[in-house]
């Protein structure tokens, strides 16, 4: 059995990835770790290990004991929170990655997954269909840490043969967990408000188009990348990964197919400046060619799934 460790398992992506691993491979196929206990009972069917990923000693002990084949290192401070605590964001995002890469170099782990982000792009990057090899031009600390991290990953692969794999996620939208501290968080929050028949005030401009992805696609893509034969992986920085692009106005219209009275207002804040530095759409042909990436869920299908899931959750809360 492949032994997996997910670091950052209490986060938006962590919870969803662990749930999928449990469903596909069983709760014992994955151990989970975070600095806080995940707020999700099902996730806790897997063994929980308290870990501050910047603590090299604590990480070594966990890896030594767990004998993991794969580590999914998801712990990070995202774009909006990172701007409030730049040095803390750099420290967490970089130190934790270097700790994992060192452990992999020493042979404690066979394969590493580490996520990058559209935050590596910036004003000097084309806005539409950003090519894989586009200029990286990050304007946030989060983006700078992802850019540097990408090149550290390639360095450890080329120098030491570390099998580290990565994708540049767009904004991720799912109903089983909440995002925290990102610029794309509005696209999750909006469904929670709509489902409760409450008006939502969006912190981005009405016409701000960003690349986005439904969580199930993101999780499937991640596991497909990790299962791909080594020789298929030609990019050791991080793969562009695309699915759909929309603006707050467009997601509002999609939601109104289910909630015709849904009221959407706008009060752009500092996150708007981050959003407008990012591209609108992504060219992910390298991921398609190398390991068969293909997104399945687009905006209206996603709205249907999200609204149904939220309605169910609200019912359970009432009963
Ligand atoms: N969703 C992230 C953020 O908004 C981007 O990777 O920070």
């Amino acid at each position: 059995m492949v032994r997996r460790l997910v670091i950052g398992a209490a986060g938006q992506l962590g919870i969803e990835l662990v749930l999928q691993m449990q469903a596909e491979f069983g709760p014992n196929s994955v151990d989970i770790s975070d600095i806080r206990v995940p707020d999700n009972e099902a996730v806790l069917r897997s063994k929980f290990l308290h870990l501050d990923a910047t603590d090299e000693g604590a990480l070594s002990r966990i890896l030594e004991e767990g004998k993991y084949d794969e580590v999914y290192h998801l712990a990070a401070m995202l774009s909006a929170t990172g701007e409030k605590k730049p040095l803390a964001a750099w420290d967490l995002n970089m130190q934790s990655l270097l700790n994992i890469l060192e452990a992999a170099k020493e042979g404690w782990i066979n394969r590493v997954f580490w996520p990058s982000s559209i935050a590596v792009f910036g004003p000097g990057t084309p806005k539409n269909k950003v090519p894989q090899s586009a200029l990286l031009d990050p304007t946030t600390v989060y983006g700078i840490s992802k850019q540097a991290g990408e090149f550290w990953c390639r360095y450890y692969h080329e120098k030491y043969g570390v099998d580290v794999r990565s994708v540049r996620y767009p904004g991720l939208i799912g109903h089983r967990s909440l995002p925290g501290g990102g610029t794309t968080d509005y696209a999750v929050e909006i469904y929670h408000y709509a489902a409760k028949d409450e008006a939502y005030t969006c912190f981005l401009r009405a016409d701000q188009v960003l690349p986005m992805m439904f969580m199930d696609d993101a999780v499937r893509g991640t596991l497909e990348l990790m299962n791909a034969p080594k020789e298929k992986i030609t990019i050791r920085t991080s793969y562009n990964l695309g699915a759909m692009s929309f603006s707050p106005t467009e997601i509002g219209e999609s939601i109104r197919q289910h909630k015709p009275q849904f009221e959407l207002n706008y009060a752009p804040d500092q996150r708007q400046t981050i959003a407008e530095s990012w591209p609108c759409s992504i060219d992910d042909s390298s991921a398609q060619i190398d390991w068969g990436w293909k997104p399945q869920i687009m905006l209206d299908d996603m709205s249907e799934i999200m609204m149904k899931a939220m309605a169910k959750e609200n019912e359970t809360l009432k009963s």
Side-chain angles (χ1 to χ4, degrees):
M1 184 175 70
V2 175
R3 296 259 309 139
R4 302 170 182 82
L5 173 68
V6 174
I7 299 175
Q12 186 200 13
L13 174 61
I15 286 178
E16 298 260 12
L17 191 61
V18 171
L19 290 174
Q20 186 57 30
M21 286 172 175
Q22 290 180 339
E24 269 185 54
F25 317 114
N28 295 332
S29 68
V30 53
D31 286 355
I32 61 178
S33 78
D34 205 295
I35 201 158
R36 62 192 159 107
V37 181
D39 183 16
N40 183 302
E41 266 175 46
V43 160
L44 289 166
R45 286 181 301 162
S46 296
K47 184 171 162 196
F48 175 74
L49 302 154
H50 182 269
L51 174 69
D52 170 355
T54 61
D55 182 342
E56 197 186 341
L59 176 72
S60 304
R61 284 191 291 279
I62 284 179
L63 295 180
E64 209 169 317
E65 207 155 291
K67 311 232 176 329
Y68 301 103
D69 302 293
E70 297 180 350
V71 169
Y72 295 73
H73 171 37
L74 313 178
M77 206 184 286
L78 293 192
S79 60
T81 314
E83 291 310 281
K84 291 188 189 131
K85 304 179 201 167
L87 297 185
W90 176 258
D91 189 43
L92 168 63
N93 297 0
M94 292 317 299
Q95 197 50 54
S96 59
L97 172 62
L98 291 171
N99 289 346
I100 304 284
L101 291 174
E102 273 295 302
K105 173 188 154 194
E106 296 304 324
W108 292 108
I109 328 157
N110 295 329
R111 199 169 302 147
V112 177
F113 176 80
W114 174 80
S116 184
S117 157
I118 51 167
V120 295
F121 301 123
T125 312
K127 280 282 167 212
N128 294 305
K129 293 229 166 282
V130 179
Q132 177 64 44
S133 58
L135 173 75
L136 305 185
D137 192 21
T139 59
T140 59
V141 176
Y142 173 67
I144 297 172
S145 71
K146 290 297 182 189
Q147 179 205 26
E150 286 192 12
F151 289 101
W152 275 116
C153 287
R154 192 174 72 182
Y155 183 87
Y156 270 77
H157 175 72
E158 286 179 355
K159 290 266 169 180
Y160 309 119
V162 169
D163 187 2
V164 50
R165 304 176 181 200
S166 177
V167 295
R168 294 170 179 154
Y169 290 123
L172 301 182
I173 300 156
H175 53 82
R176 300 177 194 93
S177 58
L178 290 170
T183 301
T184 56
D185 294 9
Y186 91 86
V188 181
E189 289 170 6
I190 195 169
Y191 286 109
H192 286 264
Y193 279 74
K196 284 190 260 168
D197 293 313
E198 286 175 21
Y200 179 66
T201 302
C202 182
F203 56 75
L204 297 185
R205 242 180 26 218
D207 61 350
Q208 181 61 58
V209 175
L210 286 173
M212 300 279 186
M213 184 178 291
F214 186 52
M215 188 58 89
D216 295 24
D217 273 341
V219 166
R220 184 177 46 78
T222 305
L223 295 176
E224 283 172 2
L225 170 66
M226 288 299 272
N227 285 332
K230 223 178 191 171
E231 61 279 5
K232 296 271 183 196
I233 311 297
T234 63
I235 289 165
R236 290 293 181 165
T237 48
S238 188
Y239 279 97
N240 277 6
L241 209 63
M244 58 186 136
S245 294
F246 56 76
S247 65
T249 305
E250 287 163 331
I251 192 173
E253 279 163 12
S254 181
I255 287 173
R256 278 193 202 101
Q257 293 175 19
H258 306 268
K259 294 272 182 184
Q261 310 301 330
F262 177 55
E263 188 187 324
L264 181 51
N265 304 306
Y266 298 92
D269 64 16
Q270 70 287 354
R271 288 169 280 190
Q272 174 58 35
T273 316
I274 299 176
E276 62 197 37
S277 77
W278 291 352
C280 303
S281 63
I282 302 293
D283 174 350
D284 58 13
S285 43
S286 295
Q288 292 178 32
I289 293 164
D290 286 2
W291 45 277
W293 163 246
K294 198 174 183 319
Q296 290 172 352
I297 308 286
M298 299 301 148
L299 179 57
D300 286 340
D301 289 339
M302 176 173 81
S303 292
E304 196 171 330
I305 300 169
M306 290 295 286
M307 293 308 291
K308 270 193 190 143
M310 306 270 113
K312 214 167 147 190
E313 199 182 290
N314 290 343
E315 275 307 306
T316 321
L317 287 177
K318 271 187 220 153
S319 61

